[in-house]
Amino acid sequence: FRKRDMAEFAQAFLKRMEQAVLAMSSPIQTRWKSDYQDRFASLTETAETLAEFQEQFMSLMNQFEACVEEDRQARRHHSLAMQAKHYIDAHFADPGLSLVQVSDYLNLQPSALSVIFKEEIGEKFVDYVLKVRMQQAKQLLLETEDSIQSVAINSGYQNVNSFYRAFKKFQDIPPGEYRNMHRAT
């Protein structure tokens, strides 16, 4: 291999990579242009022998592959978190809704879903479920004449006392007072 052969190989590789990178996510395209494209292009200037060229080339390829894998995992995690969020939004009134139930639905370990949900959504699974249930409860309290027990059941609580405690902790006032206070305004 002569220096010119290595340069031709690098040019052909860069041309193919440009096409391949266009099919990848926009963060990967940006990373390619800012962190890798010039480094691959300059390999022929830094490598004196074919062995050096191969070593540097493979090192860069491994780094870029790790970057692509990291992006793929991040997108997969975001997708899983959004699926979990949508599942909660659709099933919040189910008193049995739990991390285990959603994990089973997504075919994940509960601990993995818990970490992914927190990282991607920005709040704990249980906090999000509580928030969705309380939003529903507040809406029902203000827009219907349903009893507190009915509001509790339609918000995912089997036990009205559990609902009462959760609502009071979330809003700082009991559900009946919340209804009276906000309906008056």
Side-chain angles (χ1 to χ4, degrees), residues 140-141 146-161 163 175 179:
L140 290 173
L141 288 167
D146 294 352
S147 69
I148 301 296
Q149 183 168 354
S150 178
V151 170
I153 290 168
N154 290 319
S155 300
Y157 291 87
Q158 283 181 317
N159 183 315
V160 74
N161 292 330
F163 168 71
R179 174 181 266 168

Side-chain angles (χ1 to χ4, degrees), residues 72-116:
R72 188 184 71 74
Q73 282 297 327
R75 284 184 289 117
R76 180 175 184 271
H77 285 180
H78 182 74
S79 173
L80 287 169
M82 293 309 292
Q83 288 177 56
K85 186 176 180 288
H86 293 307
Y87 188 92
I88 294 165
D89 293 343
H91 297 91
F92 67 86
D94 174 3
L97 180 64
S98 68
L99 181 63
V100 171
Q101 181 183 353
V102 179
S103 296
D104 288 346
Y105 171 74
L106 295 172
N107 200 23
L108 286 174
Q109 290 294 321
S111 57
L113 177 59
S114 180
V115 169
I116 290 168

Side-chain angles (χ1 to χ4, degrees), residues 32-47:
W32 169 257
K33 287 182 177 141
S34 67
D35 297 345
Y36 291 97
Q37 189 175 24
D38 290 341
R39 290 168 67 192
F40 273 106
S42 67
L43 277 179
T44 55
E45 297 165 15
T46 58

